Amino acid sequence: MPRPHTPILSPARIRAAALALVDRDGLDALSMRKLAAELGVQAASLYSHVATKEDLLTAVASEIIGRVDVGGFAAGWREGLVRWARSYRAVLAEHPNMVPFVSRGPDRRDASLRMADAVHGGLIGAGWPPREATMIGAAVKYVVIGAATSSFAAGFSDDAQLYVERYPHLNQAHLLRQHAEEVDNDSFELALQALLTTLDAKHAAL
């Protein structure tokens, strides 16, 4: 009788399965036992590839952040920030359930530290003082994480009657949900452009 087939594990396969589980069920749903079941193995089999759930999430987050475009600074600090912010948001939008973990900060995560290093270096290379460069990086991150965490427009009800009597200034709010993607994209761009306009003036004064 042939021996039962045991799925071949690899770090890449484990990361992919973990991310798929988080995307589907949420961050809190991930456990080594559930992940093992998804992969068709025993939980003990995972530990030869990853030590802890935290280590696994760190590896998944690093893979996600590694896809963010920080190559625009060669064309100037403004282009660098725009490409970084848009790419950062797009990457996180693909995996919104990972945002709470990613938003904690880089800690020792290599991909996140390389991203921060590229942004900080690009800003300093364009003449920004180190303290200003740090604050700019943080400000862009706040805009991106805020945009990636939830949809503003999709949070409204599409029941027009809800707003008619008690909230007269929200008489168009019932339309927001059906235009959520457009409203959220335009709102993100508004915040980004407002920040860049402020930075243009500050940079000119350096």
Side-chain angles (χ1 to χ4, degrees):
M1 177 181 293
R3 297 178 61 184
H5 174 67
T6 300
I8 298 175
L9 293 179
S10 68
R13 183 162 181 253
I14 292 170
R15 290 194 303 271
L19 182 56
L21 196 158
V22 171
D23 284 345
R24 186 188 70 218
D25 299 333
L27 194 59
D28 292 338
L30 178 65
S31 70
M32 300 301 266
R33 179 183 59 80
K34 288 183 180 178
L35 180 59
E38 293 278 332
L39 289 164
V41 299
Q42 297 297 313
S45 302
L46 298 177
Y47 290 104
S48 60
H49 297 277
V50 58
T52 65
K53 174 183 169 180
E54 185 77 9
D55 288 344
L56 175 57
L57 284 171
T58 294
V60 170
S62 292
E63 193 166 277
I64 293 170
I65 293 301
R67 301 201 296 268
V68 176
D69 181 4
V70 290
F73 289 95
W77 67 267
R78 209 178 193 281
E79 176 65 18
L81 287 181
V82 169
R83 279 175 54 180
W84 172 48
R86 289 173 178 166
S87 173
Y88 197 2
R89 180 186 177 226
V91 166
L92 294 182
E94 293 177 10
H95 308 287
N97 289 338
M98 281 293 298
V99 173
F101 187 87
V102 173
S103 65
R104 289 190 205 170
D107 193 32
R108 296 175 178 272
R109 216 162 43 230
D110 180 62
S112 295
L113 290 171
R114 281 189 280 109
M115 180 176 74
D117 185 65
V119 171
H120 197 69
L123 292 169
I124 290 177
W128 288 99
R131 185 175 187 277
E132 296 285 328
T134 297
M135 292 191 297
I136 292 168
V140 172
K141 179 184 175 182
Y142 297 150
V143 172
V144 169
I145 295 297
T149 299
S150 64
S151 166
F152 171 80
F156 287 83
S157 170
D158 55 9
D159 179 6
Q161 280 302 118
L162 174 66
Y163 306 101
V164 170
E165 295 180 1
R166 297 186 60 188
Y167 312 104
H169 300 297
L170 299 178
N171 62 332
Q172 298 296 304
H174 64 286
L175 302 175
L176 287 173
R177 186 189 292 271
Q178 62 184 286
H179 300 289
E181 183 176 355
E182 178 186 351
V183 172
D184 291 339
N185 285 338
D186 289 351
S187 299
F188 170 75
E189 289 295 329
L190 176 64
L192 180 59
Q193 294 304 320
L195 175 59
L196 290 169
T197 298
T198 299
L199 294 178
D200 283 335
K202 290 178 72 69
H203 191 262
L206 290 177

